[in-house]
Amino acid sequence: MATHDIFMPALSSTMTEGKIVEWLKNPGDKVERGESVLVVESDKADMDVESFHDGFLASVLMPAGSSAPVGETIGLIVETADEIAAAQANAPSAPSQSVGEENKSSSTQIKEQKDTVDSSKTTVVNKEPISPSVLESSVNQPQFLNDGRVVASPRAKKLASQMGVDLATVRGSGPHGRIQAEDVQSAKGQPISVPWIAESNAPAKVVSDIPRIEKKPVDLDKPPAAGKSFGSRGETIAFNTLQQAVNRNMEESLNTPCFRVGYSILTDELDSFYKQVKPKGVTMTALLAKAVGLTLARHPQVNAAFTSEGIAYPSQINVAVAVAMEDGGLITPVLQNAEETSLSELSLQWADLVKRARNKQLEPQEYSSGTFTLSNLGMFGVDRFDAILPPGTGAILAVGASLPKVVASKDGSISIKKQMQVNLTADHRVIYGADGALFLKDLAYLIERNPYSLSS
Amino acid sequence: MDKKLHAVSPESGLNSNLDLTPQLAQFSSAFLFEPKNIVPFETALGWQKNFQKSLIAKPFSPQAVWLLEHFSCYTIGRGGDKNNLLFEENKSPVPVFRIERGGEVTHHMPGQIVGYLAFNLSLHKKDLYWYLRELEEVLIDVLDLLGIEGKRVDGLTGVWCADKKVGSIGIGCKRWITQHGFSLNVNCDLIGFEKIIPCGLDKVKLGKLSDWIPGIKVCDVKPLLRESVKRRFKLNWENI
C-alpha cells in the first residue's frame, strides 16, 4: 500500500512548530498533486501545504487548531480510494476526539481562560489548557505590557501561555533581564525541571550520582519523589505529538519477531581512556557511538534491516541515540557515519543535536535516518534492561551502568573490575543469534582491550 | 541533565548557521502598481490572487508590489478569532473579509497605505520569519527617513512608535509565492479600530504618522515606501 505522509512544513529555519489553521480537504477527499490540502500558520504568516501526490486524503492525524512540531506527520495520503479504510485503520485515532472527550470530562479542572471562547467556535482545542495546540493560538495574546516590551525566550512565552502566567509579573534571569522558561516555572511555583536527557556516560556514573540528576532535594519527612509525571493525580493528559509518534512506533514493533542477547563488558580500560579524552570535550556518547560504529563496520549484518523486498543493507552506518524529552516522548538524534567520524566531531555533533532536539528544531532526517540505535540508562544506575526495536532498523543496544563487580578470572584469581551490561534486541528475520553474539563479542573486545583505537 | 554535555559549547558547533538557502538573485524584478484612486478590498484581492496564480505557474516571471488605499473594511486571517470583532459579523457597518493570511483581525481605511507584495521567496529567502522581519524593516526605514523612531516588540509582529502600533503585517504563502503584506497608518481615522481587538492584542494602542508629523499625507509617504521596498528586496521595477 502506498501511503504518503504529510509533514508539518518548516516555514522558517527557526520555526519549531506550526499551528494547523484549517484542513482544506476532508478525509476521503480526492487530492491532486500540487493541490492545497491544509493551511499552516506560524506568527503572522500562513502557508498553504500542498500534496506531493495524486490520491486521496486518508487520514487527518492532527485536527485544525492544533500545533505540531516541524517534520511531524499530520496527515496521510493514499493513492487509491480502496486504501483509505486500511490507512485509517492503521492510523492512530484522531486526536481531536480524545481531546474533546478529555475536555468534557475534566472541565472542572480546567483553569479559567482569560478570553471566553464562544461556544459556536469549532476548534475544541482552544479550551484545552494543557493541550500543546493552545500554544500557538495564545502566543499572540496579550503579552503587551504597559511599557510595551516583554523580553522572553520563545519557550518561556509558550510555557507562560500554557500555565497562565502573566509575563509582566515574571522577573527575568537571562541576559538583560530576558525571561527564561525557568523564570516562568518558578513564578508559577513549579519545581524547575532541568531537561533530563539520557546522555550516555554510563561507566562514569554510579548509583550515588542519582540525586544529582534528580535535582530535587530529598525531603526526609515526605516520601521521596518517585519520578516526574506529566499530569496531576486524577487527570488524564492527552498524548503530545511526540508521545503519539513513539506510541505508533512501539506498537509497530510488536509485528517484529525479536530476540535478545546480552553481554558483560569490562570498562576499566574505557574509563581510563575516557579520562584522557574528556578534557578535549569528548563525551561518553561519542565513545559508545564510535565503538558501536566501528564494530558495525565489521558486522554489516547487524546494521541491516528487514524490508518486504528482502534484507536492506544501508549505505551508511548511522548510530541513533535515544534521548528522553522533558515534556514526554523520546527522540533519536542520529550520528551519521559514526565509524568514520572523529570522536571530537561526534561530540560536537551530539551536543548540537541534543540542543536542537530540546528546542524541537531537528530536521526529520536528523532523527529518522538511524540504522542502529543505542539506548543508555546507565546514568540512572540501571544495571540491565532490554529495549524495543525501532521500526525500520535491525537492532538496538541497551546499555546499563558500569558498576564495580567482583570478577573471577580464568586462573582463579579474584579482583574488582568495572562491568557494564549491554543487551542487544534484534529482528530475527535479519539478524540471527550468532550474528548478534559475534557483534557483541567484538564490541566487548574493542572496549575492553583496545579503546585507544577509538581515537583513530 | 549532564553538564558535561556543555563542556563543548554547542554554540560554536555546526549549527551556528544552518540556513544554507542560496541567495539566488542579486536583483529580481517586479511590477509596481500605485492606483491613484481608493480601491475596494475585493478588487485588490482579485489582483493579488491572479498574480499569485501566474507566479506559481511561472515562478521566474516578474513579481508585483501594490501600494494603495482601501475603503473602510475589516479583514481576518484564516486562523483568526471572530471574538476579536466586537460586533456581530453580519451586522457590520463595513464589509468584513476572511482572507488567506496569517494573523487576527485588522482594519483598513483611507489614509492608511496598504502594501501588497506578490514575491517569489525562492528568489529571496525561503523563510517566512525572515520575510516578516524584512517587512518590518521596510516600515522602520521609512519612519527613520521621516525622523520617527520605529521599533518592533519582541515576540510580536508589526511596527510601533513609542507605545503605539502604526504598522501591521500579515502574509499568506503558497509554494513560497507570497500575498498580502503590510499596512501603515498615515493620517487615517482610527476610530474603526475601537470596534475590534486589533491583531488579537488586548491592550494595543493604535497610532498614525500624523500624530508625530501633523499634516502628513499618504502622497508624502508612498514614494518613501516605494524606495524602501525596492531597496530592502533588491528589486528592479519593470516597465508597465
Side-chain angles (χ1 to χ4, degrees):
Chain A
M1 187 177 81
T3 308
H4 305 286
D5 292 5
I6 304 170
F7 299 109
M8 172 60 71
L11 310 193
S12 166
S13 59
T14 54
M15 167 172 159
T16 54
E17 65 175 25
K19 178 184 162 193
I20 297 165
V21 174
E22 185 183 2
W23 283 92
L24 303 170
K25 297 280 174 183
N26 292 313
D29 283 358
K30 197 173 185 326
V31 292
E32 284 171 30
R33 189 169 184 275
E35 200 177 359
S36 298
V37 181
L38 75 154
V39 183
V40 167
E41 181 189 55
S42 192
D43 202 343
K44 295 286 173 102
D46 258 15
M47 174 82 127
D48 283 36
V49 181
E50 299 164 51
S51 172
F52 290 112
H53 303 275
D54 285 327
F56 296 84
L57 180 62
S59 183
V60 165
L61 304 179
M62 302 291 296
S66 61
S67 298
V70 168
E72 178 75 16
T73 301
I74 51 184
L76 299 175
I77 289 196
V78 293
E79 283 173 5
T80 63
D82 307 335
E83 293 167 327
I84 295 174
Q88 283 172 347
N90 285 338
S93 63
S96 58
Q97 269 182 347
S98 55
V99 169
E101 283 158 20
E102 162 70 15
N103 184 29
K104 273 177 230 153
S105 62
S106 66
S107 59
T108 49
Q109 295 172 355
I110 290 173
K111 283 175 267 174
E112 82 244 62
Q113 296 259 89
K114 273 186 207 157
D115 47 338
T116 48
V117 180
D118 188 330
S119 59
S120 67
K121 200 156 169 23
T122 47
T123 45
V124 190
V125 281
N126 275 2
K127 291 184 184 174
E128 175 60 273
I130 46 167
S131 157
S133 46
V134 191
L135 312 182
E136 276 296 329
S137 61
S138 40
V139 157
N140 287 337
Q141 285 171 8
Q143 292 155 1
F144 189 56
L145 293 190
N146 298 337
D147 68 355
R149 196 162 171 84
V150 170
V151 185
S153 70
R155 193 170 142 64
K157 285 176 192 165
K158 196 164 135 176
L159 266 178
S161 65
Q162 245 176 327
M163 301 176 16
V165 171
D166 183 0
L167 282 173
T169 63
V170 179
R171 213 188 136 98
S173 67
H176 307 291
R178 188 171 193 248
I179 299 168
Q180 317 275 49
E182 291 79 3
D183 302 327
V184 176
Q185 283 174 312
S186 29
K188 188 73 183 173
Q190 285 207 353
I192 297 165
S193 68
V194 175
W196 61 288
I197 296 284
E199 158 69 354
S200 317
N201 54 349
K205 294 251 182 185
V206 288
V207 186
S208 61
D209 278 348
I210 290 178
R212 226 154 55 90
I213 292 154
E214 214 28 59
K215 284 271 178 189
K216 283 178 195 165
V218 179
D219 189 341
L220 292 175
D221 297 338
K222 292 176 194 163
K228 67 202 224 77
S229 83
F230 303 113
S232 312
R233 288 183 181 189
E235 267 185 324
T236 305
I237 305 290
F239 292 113
N240 68 28
T241 46
L242 194 53
Q243 287 167 327
Q244 285 169 19
V246 172
N247 290 358
R248 282 199 292 280
N249 280 345
M250 296 298 94
E251 283 159 15
E252 200 180 309
S253 73
L254 293 173
N255 297 321
T256 306
C258 285
F259 73 99
R260 280 100 184 158
V261 52
Y263 213 101
S264 294
I265 301 176
L266 300 175
T267 59
D268 296 281
E269 286 295 312
L270 182 69
D271 284 350
S272 70
F273 176 61
Y274 178 49
K275 282 200 185 85
Q276 288 174 31
V277 292
K278 205 174 137 189
K280 295 175 192 157
V282 172
T283 60
M284 186 51 81
T285 298
L287 286 177
L288 289 174
K290 177 89 179 207
V292 164
L294 284 172
T295 313
L296 283 173
R298 303 180 54 204
H299 294 268
Q301 195 63 35
V302 182
N303 198 44
F306 173 89
T307 68
S308 51
E309 290 84 39
I311 300 174
Y313 296 93
S315 52
Q316 295 187 347
I317 295 175
N318 295 340
V319 178
V321 186
V323 170
M325 302 294 282
E326 62 159 344
D327 52 353
L330 64 81
I331 197 158
T332 52
V334 175
L335 291 164
Q336 307 229 2
N337 298 314
E339 86 286 12
E340 56 183 50
T341 309
S342 75
L343 285 174
S344 51
E345 183 62 20
L346 285 173
S347 305
L348 273 173
Q349 283 182 16
W350 183 245
D352 169 43
L353 287 167
V354 168
K355 182 183 164 214
R356 286 189 295 119
R358 202 178 292 146
N359 295 332
K360 301 192 167 61
Q361 286 172 342
L362 290 184
E363 301 285 330
Q365 77 271 11
E366 292 178 305
Y367 57 81
S368 60
S369 60
T371 58
F372 182 97
T373 311
L374 202 54
S375 179
N376 185 353
L377 292 177
M379 69 289 271
F380 299 109
V382 164
D383 66 342
R384 92 206 84 157
F385 70 106
D386 78 55
I388 296 181
L389 184 67
T393 63
I396 178 170
L397 189 68
V399 180
S402 167
L403 301 168
K405 287 275 164 62
V406 180
V407 177
S409 56
K410 277 179 188 160
D411 62 3
S413 66
I414 290 173
S415 58
I416 294 186
K417 293 204 157 112
K418 286 180 89 180
Q419 217 173 48
M420 167 176 88
Q421 298 202 43
V422 298
N423 198 352
L424 186 80
T425 302
D427 182 346
H428 206 302
R429 294 170 298 184
V430 178
I431 299 160
Y432 286 47
D435 301 321
L438 285 170
F439 167 78
L440 290 180
K441 182 168 177 267
D442 264 10
L443 179 68
Y445 186 87
L446 173 66
I447 290 176
E448 290 179 356
R449 307 284 182 86
N450 206 8
Y452 294 87
S453 67
L454 294 175
S455 63
S456 60
Chain B
M1 193 191 76
D2 183 11
K3 290 288 183 232
K4 275 183 220 103
L5 205 59
H6 295 297
V8 180
S9 163
E11 277 76 12
S12 63
L14 297 171
N15 67 328
S16 46
N17 188 5
L18 281 173
D19 178 41
L20 302 172
T21 314
Q23 299 289 308
L24 284 176
Q26 270 295 315
F27 286 90
S28 52
S29 69
F31 292 109
L32 173 69
F33 302 106
E34 293 186 274
K36 292 275 177 294
N37 300 322
I38 296 177
V39 181
F41 184 83
E42 56 271 42
T43 309
L45 192 64
W47 294 341
Q48 287 196 68
K49 277 203 185 308
N50 285 334
F51 216 96
Q52 192 187 36
K53 214 178 280 173
S54 73
L55 263 181
I56 286 171
K58 287 186 181 171
F60 298 102
S61 57
Q63 306 162 101
V65 175
W66 290 266
L67 295 176
L68 47 81
E69 291 170 82
H70 281 316
F71 294 109
S72 185
C73 65
Y74 296 104
T75 68
I76 317 183
R78 272 186 288 204
D81 185 346
K82 264 206 263 179
N83 292 312
N84 290 323
L85 289 174
L86 304 176
F87 52 84
E88 284 186 45
E89 196 172 335
N90 51 9
K91 289 183 188 156
S92 170
V94 300
V96 178
F97 300 95
R98 191 165 274 267
I99 56 169
E100 295 165 349
R101 63 159 168 82
E104 294 288 344
V105 62
T106 193
H107 180 33
H108 300 303
M109 75 304 280
Q112 175 197 64
I113 303 177
V114 176
Y116 292 131
L117 309 99
F119 281 169
N120 179 0
L121 290 186
S122 308
L123 300 175
H124 301 270
K125 189 167 173 174
K126 281 157 74 169
D127 188 320
L128 293 187
Y129 290 2
W130 169 84
Y131 182 56
L132 292 172
R133 301 290 88 79
E134 291 291 291
L135 290 178
E136 287 168 346
E137 284 301 320
V138 163
L139 300 182
I140 289 171
D141 287 349
V142 169
L143 296 178
D144 191 44
L145 288 170
L146 293 167
I148 306 172
E149 192 198 353
K151 59 181 184 187
R152 35 170 94 92
V153 172
D154 198 34
L156 301 175
T157 299
V159 174
W160 277 258
C161 291
D163 62 342
K164 289 180 179 165
K165 189 177 183 190
V166 296
S168 299
I169 287 167
I171 60 160
C173 187
K174 182 174 183 177
R175 228 178 273 182
W176 298 109
I177 311 288
T178 64
Q179 57 168 339
H180 305 294
F182 59 80
S183 64
L184 180 64
N185 302 333
V186 180
N187 62 343
C188 44
D189 188 352
L190 298 174
I191 194 146
F193 280 109
E194 290 172 12
K195 296 197 179 107
I196 57 170
I197 302 173
C199 311
L201 297 169
D202 214 358
K203 288 174 193 144
V204 71
K205 280 187 264 179
L206 272 297
K208 52 184 174 179
L209 300 189
S210 59
D211 295 344
W212 282 267
I213 306 175
I216 193 169
K217 290 197 214 56
V218 164
C219 59
D220 304 322
V221 184
K222 257 193 193 174
L224 303 178
L225 259 177
R226 185 197 303 150
E227 286 310 305
S228 184
V229 169
K230 181 181 173 186
R231 203 167 40 238
R232 178 70 43 190
F233 294 102
K234 299 188 173 68
L235 300 174
N236 285 322
W237 297 131
E238 287 278 325
N239 293 321
I240 300 175

